[in-house]
Short mmCIF file of all heavy atoms in Angstrom, two decimals:
data_model
loop_
_atom_site.label_atom_id
_atom_site.label_comp_id
_atom_site.label_asym_id
_atom_site.label_seq_id
_atom_site.Cartn_x
_atom_site.Cartn_y
_atom_site.Cartn_z
N ALA B 1 8.03 -36.99 -29.69
CA ALA B 1 6.99 -36.31 -30.43
C ALA B 1 5.85 -37.27 -30.51
O ALA B 1 4.68 -36.86 -30.29
CB ALA B 1 7.48 -35.95 -31.84
N THR B 2 6.07 -38.56 -30.77
CA THR B 2 4.97 -39.50 -30.88
C THR B 2 4.25 -39.72 -29.54
O THR B 2 2.95 -39.72 -29.37
CB THR B 2 5.49 -40.90 -31.26
OG1 THR B 2 6.17 -40.77 -32.64
CG2 THR B 2 4.42 -41.90 -31.42
N GLN B 3 5.02 -39.74 -28.42
CA GLN B 3 4.43 -39.82 -27.08
C GLN B 3 3.55 -38.70 -26.82
O GLN B 3 2.40 -38.77 -26.28
CB GLN B 3 5.49 -39.95 -26.00
CG GLN B 3 6.25 -41.23 -26.00
CD GLN B 3 7.27 -41.31 -24.98
OE1 GLN B 3 7.96 -40.25 -24.63
NE2 GLN B 3 7.68 -42.42 -24.45
N ASP B 4 3.94 -37.43 -27.22
CA ASP B 4 3.13 -36.20 -26.99
C ASP B 4 1.83 -36.29 -27.86
O ASP B 4 0.76 -35.93 -27.40
CB ASP B 4 3.94 -34.93 -27.42
CG ASP B 4 5.11 -34.71 -26.40
OD1 ASP B 4 5.02 -35.25 -25.23
OD2 ASP B 4 5.99 -33.94 -26.78
N ILE B 5 1.94 -36.72 -29.08
CA ILE B 5 0.71 -36.79 -29.97
C ILE B 5 -0.24 -37.83 -29.42
O ILE B 5 -1.41 -37.59 -29.31
CB ILE B 5 1.21 -37.15 -31.35
CG1 ILE B 5 1.96 -36.01 -32.00
CG2 ILE B 5 0.01 -37.49 -32.26
CD1 ILE B 5 2.62 -36.25 -33.32
N VAL B 6 0.32 -38.99 -28.94
CA VAL B 6 -0.54 -40.08 -28.43
C VAL B 6 -1.26 -39.55 -27.20
O VAL B 6 -2.51 -39.76 -26.99
CB VAL B 6 0.31 -41.33 -28.05
CG1 VAL B 6 -0.60 -42.24 -27.22
CG2 VAL B 6 0.77 -42.04 -29.36
N LYS B 7 -0.53 -38.76 -26.38
CA LYS B 7 -1.22 -38.20 -25.13
C LYS B 7 -2.30 -37.28 -25.54
O LYS B 7 -3.42 -37.29 -24.84
CB LYS B 7 -0.12 -37.55 -24.34
CG LYS B 7 -0.66 -36.92 -23.03
CD LYS B 7 0.40 -36.33 -22.20
CE LYS B 7 -0.10 -35.67 -20.91
NZ LYS B 7 1.00 -35.05 -20.07
N GLU B 8 -2.09 -36.45 -26.54
CA GLU B 8 -3.21 -35.50 -26.95
C GLU B 8 -4.39 -36.26 -27.55
O GLU B 8 -5.52 -35.86 -27.35
CB GLU B 8 -2.61 -34.56 -28.06
CG GLU B 8 -1.65 -33.58 -27.45
CD GLU B 8 -1.07 -32.57 -28.49
OE1 GLU B 8 -1.74 -32.45 -29.52
OE2 GLU B 8 0.01 -31.93 -28.25
N VAL B 9 -4.17 -37.38 -28.27
CA VAL B 9 -5.29 -38.19 -28.68
C VAL B 9 -6.01 -38.80 -27.57
O VAL B 9 -7.27 -38.80 -27.51
CB VAL B 9 -4.74 -39.35 -29.64
CG1 VAL B 9 -5.83 -40.33 -30.01
CG2 VAL B 9 -4.15 -38.69 -30.99
N GLN B 10 -5.33 -39.29 -26.60
CA GLN B 10 -5.98 -39.84 -25.35
C GLN B 10 -6.78 -38.89 -24.61
O GLN B 10 -7.84 -39.20 -23.98
CB GLN B 10 -4.85 -40.60 -24.52
CG GLN B 10 -4.22 -41.74 -25.13
CD GLN B 10 -3.13 -42.30 -24.26
OE1 GLN B 10 -2.45 -41.50 -23.39
NE2 GLN B 10 -2.85 -43.64 -24.24
N GLU B 11 -6.31 -37.66 -24.63
CA GLU B 11 -7.06 -36.59 -23.83
C GLU B 11 -8.15 -35.96 -24.66
O GLU B 11 -8.87 -35.06 -24.20
CB GLU B 11 -5.95 -35.54 -23.40
CG GLU B 11 -5.03 -35.97 -22.43
CD GLU B 11 -3.92 -34.93 -22.11
OE1 GLU B 11 -3.87 -33.99 -22.81
OE2 GLU B 11 -3.24 -35.15 -21.14
N GLY B 12 -8.29 -36.43 -25.91
CA GLY B 12 -9.34 -35.92 -26.76
C GLY B 12 -9.04 -34.56 -27.51
O GLY B 12 -9.87 -33.94 -28.10
N LYS B 13 -7.74 -34.14 -27.41
CA LYS B 13 -7.36 -32.84 -28.03
C LYS B 13 -7.16 -33.04 -29.53
O LYS B 13 -7.01 -32.02 -30.20
CB LYS B 13 -6.12 -32.39 -27.31
CG LYS B 13 -6.39 -31.99 -25.89
CD LYS B 13 -5.10 -31.56 -25.20
CE LYS B 13 -5.18 -31.19 -23.68
NZ LYS B 13 -3.95 -30.78 -23.03
N LEU B 14 -6.91 -34.25 -29.94
CA LEU B 14 -6.51 -34.56 -31.24
C LEU B 14 -7.08 -35.91 -31.73
O LEU B 14 -7.16 -36.84 -30.93
CB LEU B 14 -4.95 -34.56 -31.36
CG LEU B 14 -4.34 -34.59 -32.69
CD1 LEU B 14 -4.51 -33.18 -33.47
CD2 LEU B 14 -2.81 -34.87 -32.65
N SER B 15 -7.66 -36.00 -32.94
CA SER B 15 -8.12 -37.26 -33.38
C SER B 15 -6.98 -37.99 -34.24
O SER B 15 -6.14 -37.22 -34.76
CB SER B 15 -9.32 -37.06 -34.21
OG SER B 15 -9.14 -36.49 -35.48
N VAL B 16 -7.11 -39.22 -34.43
CA VAL B 16 -6.09 -39.97 -35.26
C VAL B 16 -6.10 -39.39 -36.66
O VAL B 16 -5.01 -39.23 -37.28
CB VAL B 16 -6.43 -41.46 -35.16
CG1 VAL B 16 -5.47 -42.14 -36.21
CG2 VAL B 16 -6.18 -42.07 -33.73
N ASP B 17 -7.24 -39.10 -37.18
CA ASP B 17 -7.34 -38.58 -38.52
C ASP B 17 -6.70 -37.17 -38.73
O ASP B 17 -6.41 -36.82 -39.85
CB ASP B 17 -8.75 -38.56 -39.05
CG ASP B 17 -9.40 -39.96 -39.18
OD1 ASP B 17 -8.60 -40.91 -39.42
OD2 ASP B 17 -10.65 -40.04 -39.11
N ASP B 18 -6.49 -36.49 -37.61
CA ASP B 18 -5.88 -35.17 -37.65
C ASP B 18 -4.34 -35.26 -37.73
O ASP B 18 -3.68 -34.13 -37.85
CB ASP B 18 -6.29 -34.32 -36.38
CG ASP B 18 -7.73 -33.93 -36.42
OD1 ASP B 18 -8.38 -33.85 -37.59
OD2 ASP B 18 -8.33 -33.74 -35.37
N ILE B 19 -3.77 -36.40 -37.55
CA ILE B 19 -2.29 -36.52 -37.52
C ILE B 19 -1.72 -36.45 -38.90
O ILE B 19 -1.76 -37.43 -39.67
CB ILE B 19 -1.90 -37.77 -36.79
CG1 ILE B 19 -2.41 -37.88 -35.39
CG2 ILE B 19 -0.36 -37.87 -36.74
CD1 ILE B 19 -2.24 -39.14 -34.72
N THR B 20 -1.29 -35.24 -39.25
CA THR B 20 -0.60 -35.03 -40.59
C THR B 20 0.86 -34.87 -40.43
O THR B 20 1.34 -34.80 -39.26
CB THR B 20 -1.21 -33.76 -41.16
OG1 THR B 20 -0.90 -32.63 -40.39
CG2 THR B 20 -2.77 -33.88 -41.41
N GLU B 21 1.61 -34.63 -41.57
CA GLU B 21 2.96 -34.44 -41.43
C GLU B 21 3.31 -33.12 -40.74
O GLU B 21 4.22 -32.98 -39.96
CB GLU B 21 3.61 -34.34 -42.86
CG GLU B 21 3.69 -35.76 -43.50
CD GLU B 21 4.39 -35.69 -44.86
OE1 GLU B 21 5.11 -34.67 -45.14
OE2 GLU B 21 4.40 -36.69 -45.54
N ASP B 22 2.33 -32.07 -40.94
CA ASP B 22 2.55 -30.82 -40.26
C ASP B 22 2.35 -30.96 -38.84
O ASP B 22 3.00 -30.30 -38.03
CB ASP B 22 1.52 -29.87 -40.85
CG ASP B 22 1.88 -29.34 -42.24
OD1 ASP B 22 3.00 -29.55 -42.69
OD2 ASP B 22 0.90 -28.83 -42.93
N VAL B 23 1.41 -31.79 -38.43
CA VAL B 23 1.23 -32.05 -36.95
C VAL B 23 2.40 -32.63 -36.32
O VAL B 23 2.88 -32.29 -35.22
CB VAL B 23 -0.07 -32.92 -36.75
CG1 VAL B 23 -0.05 -33.43 -35.25
CG2 VAL B 23 -1.36 -32.10 -36.98
N ILE B 24 3.04 -33.69 -37.00
CA ILE B 24 4.24 -34.30 -36.51
C ILE B 24 5.36 -33.25 -36.41
O ILE B 24 6.04 -33.17 -35.36
CB ILE B 24 4.60 -35.47 -37.32
CG1 ILE B 24 3.58 -36.59 -37.32
CG2 ILE B 24 6.03 -36.05 -36.97
CD1 ILE B 24 3.75 -37.71 -38.27
N SER B 25 5.52 -32.47 -37.43
CA SER B 25 6.59 -31.43 -37.45
C SER B 25 6.43 -30.42 -36.34
O SER B 25 7.39 -30.02 -35.73
CB SER B 25 6.59 -30.69 -38.81
OG SER B 25 6.99 -31.58 -39.85
#
């Protein structure tokens, strides 16, 4: 899940500040 989130941040689909518990879930 962390790898997927990091990839979305790198692609500009998600910002670091957007990473909430709900996003991780």
